[in-house]
């Protein structure tokens, strides 16, 4: 049975899928979609999203990291679950992931897709408003994590919310060191957001995991 993941090695969206595959203990060929132009075109054209990551699993192509994670839980129900089944845990996990992506999507959009508008008169007002939203989302996730007297989002243990949060924290923490390597990184760093310390402290408990270290 073939399973291929088109990914970008440093992307938080790709990395969360790689951790999800590891959680499910599913082997997968991983193709760096930046390694050649033809591969990137092939990856983008495989799914309706036209973004990376894309998983092609047994002839089924799925774009969008969360769609891929949801798919994996449905397609492989006998493997460790990615989403908690207890409603209290599920509510926390889904809400945290929505907030994390509410921050990440804004930062990625402003630093890449929308950046061409940065010379527009209203750019400063619009981007400040959006970065404010991103910051509120990060701060909210920080408060939730701070309120939990445990190491994982769900009481049932490591799940897709932890995977999403971990890869996002690693990405946000790592951006300053990557300045000068890729123009969107430079722009995202300059947007003026701040990663709450509580999220880095939370991540400390998971940095030594074998799957995280293998990212
Ligand atoms: N919501 C998507 C976002 C993926 C995304 O933004 N991917 C970026 C790379 S980090 C991308 O494909 N950028 C190129 C493009 O949009 O053309 C997901 O969760 O997979």
């Amino acid at each position: 049975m073939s399973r291929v993941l088109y990914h970008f090695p440093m992307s938080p969206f790709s990395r969360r899928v790689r951790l999800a595959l590891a959680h499910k203990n599913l082997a997968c060929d991983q193709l760096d979609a930046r390694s050649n132009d033809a591969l990137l075109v092939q990856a983008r054209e495989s799914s309706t999203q036209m973004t990376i990551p894309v998983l092609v699993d047994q002839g089924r192509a799925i774009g969008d990291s969360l769609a891929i994670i949801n798919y994996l839980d449905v397609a492989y129900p006998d493997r460790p679950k990615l989403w908690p089944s207890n409603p209290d845990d599920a509510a926390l996990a889904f809400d945290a992931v929505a907030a994390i992506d509410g921050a990440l999507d804004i930062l990625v959009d402003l630093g890449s897709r929308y950046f061409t508008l940065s010379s527009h008169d209203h750019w400063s007002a619009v981007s400040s408003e959006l970065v404010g939203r991103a910051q509120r989302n990060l701060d909210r996730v920080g408060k939730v994590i701070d309120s939990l007297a445990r190491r994982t989002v769900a009481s049932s243990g490591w799940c897709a919310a932890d995977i999403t949060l971990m890869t996002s924290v690693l990405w946000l923490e790592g951006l300053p060191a990557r300045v000068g390597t890729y123009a969107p990184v430079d722009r995202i760093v300059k947007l003026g957001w701040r990663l709450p310390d509580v999220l880095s402290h939370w991540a400390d408990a998971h940095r030594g995991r074998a799957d995280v270290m293998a990212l």
Side-chain angles (χ1 to χ4, degrees):
M1 291 296 175
S2 70
R3 184 174 302 117
V4 177
L5 177 69
Y6 297 94
H7 74 120
F8 290 156
M10 300 305 287
S11 151
F13 305 107
S14 293
R15 286 179 140 201
R16 68 175 66 156
V17 172
R18 286 163 51 204
L19 284 186
L21 287 161
H23 185 69
K24 287 279 187 193
N25 200 17
L26 291 167
C28 184
D29 290 330
Q30 298 185 8
L31 299 178
D32 178 351
R34 282 217 175 90
S35 61
N36 75 61
D37 290 347
L39 200 60
L40 185 57
V41 170
Q42 183 184 322
R44 284 205 173 122
E45 290 183 351
S46 302
S47 97
T48 46
Q49 298 294 310
M50 305 270 300
T51 52
I52 306 298
V54 176
L55 179 75
V56 183
D57 184 42
Q58 302 175 53
R60 307 177 187 117
I62 311 116
D64 188 275
S65 57
L66 287 181
I68 296 170
I69 287 173
N70 293 338
Y71 163 79
L72 291 174
D73 240 11
V74 170
Y76 301 98
D78 298 336
R79 307 277 181 134
K81 300 291 283 178
L82 281 160
W83 294 114
S85 44
N86 165 312
D88 287 332
D89 279 344
L92 267 174
F94 291 137
D95 190 57
V97 167
I100 296 161
D101 273 358
L104 244 56
D105 288 341
I106 285 173
L107 300 182
V108 170
D109 281 344
L110 290 176
S112 56
R113 301 178 180 106
Y114 301 164
F115 191 75
T116 188
L117 299 173
S118 61
S119 54
H120 192 281
D121 290 349
H122 297 306
W123 171 261
S124 167
V126 171
S127 66
S128 301
E129 201 276 332
L130 286 171
V131 173
R133 282 182 195 222
Q135 190 63 56
R136 282 195 293 281
N137 278 324
L138 290 175
D139 292 343
R140 270 183 43 225
V141 177
K143 277 200 175 128
V144 170
I145 290 296
D146 207 22
S147 71
L148 297 174
R150 56 178 181 248
R151 291 150 68 112
T152 54
V153 173
S155 62
S156 49
W158 183 257
C159 77
D162 303 291
I163 286 173
T164 302
L165 183 53
M166 189 69 201
T167 47
S168 302
V169 169
L170 291 174
W171 183 70
L172 291 166
E173 285 179 342
L175 287 173
R178 293 173 56 209
V179 164
T181 61
Y182 183 50
V185 166
D186 301 26
R187 299 169 194 153
I188 291 170
V189 166
K190 285 187 193 143
L191 287 172
W193 47 273
R194 187 181 158 277
L195 180 67
D197 291 341
V198 66
L199 293 180
S200 288
H201 294 321
W202 171 87
D204 289 344
H206 305 292
R207 293 183 205 276
R209 287 177 58 99
D211 53 358
V212 169
M213 290 185 75
L215 276 172

